[in-house]
């Protein structure tokens, strides 16, 4: 099956209210990815960020954040525990924090490789040579959402940043052989359905290996605090539409979806998603990593999350994968 949708088709699908889209996306997920759900252990290792994204609670200008950085050893210990819990992938996520030099990141990757984990980096825009170094040492994947492909909106959301550089980073990562994850926020102020349709077409054009769609959730300590947070349904539609167009990629059921709707991740798993990223961050740091308000699991422990999510997956008759879950894995 190869579904080809143009911009107008996508806009029509996104404006429709019927649930047929979700049923189709679920069917395609089952056909191409099976019933396995891949778990990725998420370690939020620094909440320090030099960027000032208008939507994000960790933005530089938010002085109300209690900032932290994990030591290299803490990150490595967390990876070891993740492997012991049965995770096959670890995601190292943080703000754009220059404390973590290329050498520091490289040495962490080298140690973590010993645990036979796939490594995903989510540490923002870095020079080509750094991406190359991380790949050579053993990083497997990289997450870098484009956030929006609407250049005007991008500029408003990231006053100092360059859209071109972000694009370059994504193409650099692709050319270096990473599995590349990207994605967008859904529901940003002034974001149109046409702009979301363009985002979806961009994921296809990049040939992203993973696409994460997050509903925008306004944070009280940001300039967008008064924006609407009624973005769950549209985000789910965008996610399901991505599944129609990109049947064999990995699609996470994002935590932001669950923040806006009880069981949001399970609903997403039944509407095209096949990946979940449970939180492996130590409980004491969780509430400090407040990208958006109402984040799930902030009082829970890594052990609670892994057990919780496994039982939720089994409760809908899906299986927890024991492979690393690369896009082209056969299971
Ligand atoms: N609501 C939802 N998602 C957000 N992110 C940042 N701020 C918010 C928010 N207010 C997302 C961005 C980023 C990811 C790590 O978190 O898309 O890529
Ligand atoms: Fe920093 Fe990422 Fe938040 Fe932007 S979205 S301010 S890059 S942590
Ligand atoms: Fe964290 Fe359910 S996934 S408690």
């Amino acid at each position: 099956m190869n579904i080809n949708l143009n911009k107008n088709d996508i806009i029509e699908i996104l404006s429709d209210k019927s649930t047929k889209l979700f049923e189709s996306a679920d069917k395609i997920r089952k056909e191409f990815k099976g019933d396995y759900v891949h778990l990725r252990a998420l370690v939020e290792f620094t909440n320090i960020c030099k960027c000032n994204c208008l939507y994000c609670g960790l933005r530089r200008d938010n002085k109300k954040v209690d900032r932290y950085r994990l030591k290299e050893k803490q990150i490595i210990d967390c990876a070891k525990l993740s492997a012991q819990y049965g995770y096959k992938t670890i995601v190292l996520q943080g703000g754009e924090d220059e404390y973590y030099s290329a050498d520091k990141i490289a040495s962490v990757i080298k140690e973590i490789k010993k645990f036979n984990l796939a490594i995903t980096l989510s540490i923002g825009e870095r020079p080509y040579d750094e991406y190359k170094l991380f790949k050579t040492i053993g990083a497997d994947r990289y997450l870098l959402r484009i956030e929006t492909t609407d250049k005007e909106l991008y500029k408003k959301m990231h006053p100092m940043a360059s859209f071109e550089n972000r694009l370059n980073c994504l193409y650099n990562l692709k050319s270096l052989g990473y599995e590349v994850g990207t994605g967008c926020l859904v529901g940003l102020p002034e974001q149109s359905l046409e702009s979301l349709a363009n985002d979806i077409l961009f994921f296809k054009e990049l040939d992203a290996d993973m696409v994460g769609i997050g509903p925008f959730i306004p944070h009280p300590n940001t300039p967008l605090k008064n924006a609407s947070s009624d973005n769950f349904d549209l985000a789910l539609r965008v996610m399901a539409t991505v599944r129609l167009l990109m049947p064999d990629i990995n699609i996470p059921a994002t935590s932001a979806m669950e923040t806006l709707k009880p069981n949001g991740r399970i609903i997403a798993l039944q509407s095209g998603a096949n990946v979940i990223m449970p939180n492996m961050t130590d409980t004491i740091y969780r509430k400090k990593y407040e990208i958006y308000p109402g984040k799930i699991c902030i009082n829970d422990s890594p052990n609670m999350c892994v057990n919780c999510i496994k039982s939720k997956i089994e409760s809908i008759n899906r299986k927890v994968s024991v492979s690393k879950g690369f896009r082209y894995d056969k299971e």
Side-chain angles (χ1 to χ4, degrees), residues 55-57 93 145 147 166 185 215-219 256 291-292:
Y55 43 78
C56 178
Q93 184 168 86
R145 287 187 180 169
E147 313 292 1
R166 202 157 185 92
L185 284 166
F216 162 61
I217 305 170
H219 190 291
I291 294 179
Y292 52 78

Side-chain angles (χ1 to χ4, degrees), residues 19-69:
T19 56
K20 214 174 145 266
L21 166 66
F22 306 124
E23 287 151 27
S24 308
D26 193 45
K27 212 167 137 225
I28 293 175
R29 182 273 310 157
K30 193 173 169 69
E31 185 180 333
F32 283 81
K33 306 306 282 181
D35 281 337
Y36 286 100
V37 176
H38 302 290
L39 300 184
R40 324 289 201 198
L42 179 69
V43 185
E44 299 154 332
F45 69 93
T46 171
N47 68 355
I48 298 179
C49 191
K50 66 178 182 193
C51 301
N52 219 5
C53 308
L54 256 67
Y55 43 78
C56 178
L58 299 183
R59 66 199 302 271
R60 188 182 65 213
D61 285 355
N62 182 7
K63 304 294 179 207
K64 293 187 179 151
V65 182
D66 184 8
R67 306 279 174 175
Y68 72 88
R69 272 183 185 127

Side-chain angles (χ1 to χ4, degrees), residues 88-90 109 112-113 116-121 134-143 173 176-181 209 324 326:
K88 305 296 171 195
T89 294
I90 186 161
I109 294 172
I112 294 180
K113 267 329 239 191
N116 188 25
L117 289 167
I119 299 179
T120 304
L121 298 177
F134 304 151
K135 185 75 181 62
T136 313
I137 302 245
D140 301 280
R141 310 191 182 106
Y142 207 101
L143 301 184
L173 290 162
L176 285 163
Y178 282 90
E179 275 207 344
V180 174
D209 304 293
K324 289 185 175 147
F326 288 103

